[in-house]
Amino acid sequence: MAVTGGILVLYLVAHMAGNLKIFLGASDYDQYAAWLRTIGEPALPHRWLLTGIEIVLTASVIGHMWSAVSLARTAHLARPVKYAARKKSHASGYAVHTMRYGGIVIAVFIVWHLLDLTVGAVNPAGGGATPYAKVVADFTPSRWYITLFYVVAVVLVGVHLRHGIRSAAQTLGLLNGRNATGYNLLAAVVSTLLVIGFLAVPISVTVGWVK
Ligand code: HEM
């Protein structure tokens, strides 16, 4: 979970930073999207690196979900009968539910997001439009409900990430009695910055700052 989660976090940070290029204007944003497809040329054929990234991402998402299911199974086999005392299990039960159902909603969001901004099948500008045109058409003020959907999904990504960073630190044996507060703070800061950076784009289009 920690390794695939780490790959996904790195992708999210890079994707969020790349999205912010929209504030530099249509040609910068579209040039950036075109550059993603030409990295490594002429040594590599067109779009090889991007295809490689997509394969690693798909494998990471599948590996992450597979690990989550097998961990849940192992935990259930280890303790098929629930704890009688609820004091500690209440907090961990809440986290498990947030991660499990939040993760499912995020997976559904990713499918929608790919159909929307990569393929363009559910985007008003259509598949042939430039990435900038797709983003602006998507979050136009009259489609505020799409922006709202993205807000909910990205906040869920933030919550998932916050818990994930803390769990990864524990899994990797980085936590001790003294640094737990520091890790909690780091997890909160990284996930909050990521949420703000992602949401800046759809919200700016919906309120008319990006046209
Ligand atoms: C909320 C703001 C977001 C915006 C404006 C945005 C924008 C975009 C755009 C324009 C593309 C297509 C890029 C291209 O064709 O060159 C894209 C692709 C993608 N986005 Fe996002 N995105 C956002 C959030 C997210 C989040 C939160 C995730 C993951 C949880 C995500 C995952 C992806 C993935 C996996 C791709 C496909 C990459 C590829 O195949 O090349 N995005 N996004």
Side-chain angles (χ1 to χ4, degrees), residues 98-164:
T98 314
M99 295 306 271
R100 191 172 296 170
Y101 299 114
I104 293 170
V105 176
I106 293 167
V108 172
F109 162 76
I110 292 174
V111 174
W112 171 271
H113 183 54
L114 293 179
L115 290 173
D116 183 14
L117 290 173
T118 301
V119 181
V122 295
N123 187 288
T130 61
Y132 185 92
K134 278 192 221 157
V135 171
V136 169
D138 206 20
F139 304 117
T140 191
S142 61
R143 284 168 56 91
W144 56 269
Y145 50 91
I146 296 290
T147 304
L148 188 64
F149 172 49
Y150 270 73
V151 170
V152 172
V154 169
V155 168
L156 279 176
V157 170
V159 172
H160 200 87
L161 200 71
R162 181 165 161 250
H163 179 78

Side-chain angles (χ1 to χ4, degrees), residues 8 11-12 15-16 19 22 29-30 32-34 36-37 47 50-51 53-55 57-58 61 106-107 109-110 113-114 116-119 130-132 134-135 138-139 147 150-151 153-155 157 194-195 197-202 205:
L8 294 169
Y11 172 74
L12 283 178
H15 185 34
M16 183 274 281
N19 281 349
I22 206 154
Y29 192 65
D30 290 337
Y32 163 70
L36 288 176
R37 288 152 176 82
R47 216 185 180 285
L50 190 61
T51 306
I53 293 173
E54 287 169 354
I55 292 170
L57 273 183
T58 310
V61 169
I106 293 167
F109 162 76
I110 292 174
H113 183 54
L114 293 179
D116 183 14
L117 290 173
T118 301
V119 181
T130 61
Y132 185 92
K134 278 192 221 157
V135 171
D138 206 20
F139 304 117
T147 304
Y150 270 73
V151 170
V154 169
V155 168
V157 170
L194 205 86
V195 169
F198 267 128
L199 291 186
V201 177
V205 176

Side-chain angles (χ1 to χ4, degrees), residues 178-196:
R178 278 171 295 125
N179 64 12
T181 315
Y183 268 107
N184 283 348
L185 194 65
L186 178 78
V189 170
V190 170
S191 38
T192 305
L193 287 179
L194 205 86
V195 169
I196 293 172

Side-chain angles (χ1 to χ4, degrees), residues 34-52:
W35 171 77
L36 288 176
R37 288 152 176 82
T38 59
I39 310 171
E41 282 183 28
L44 293 176
H46 185 68
R47 216 185 180 285
W48 263 43
L49 198 85
L50 190 61
T51 306

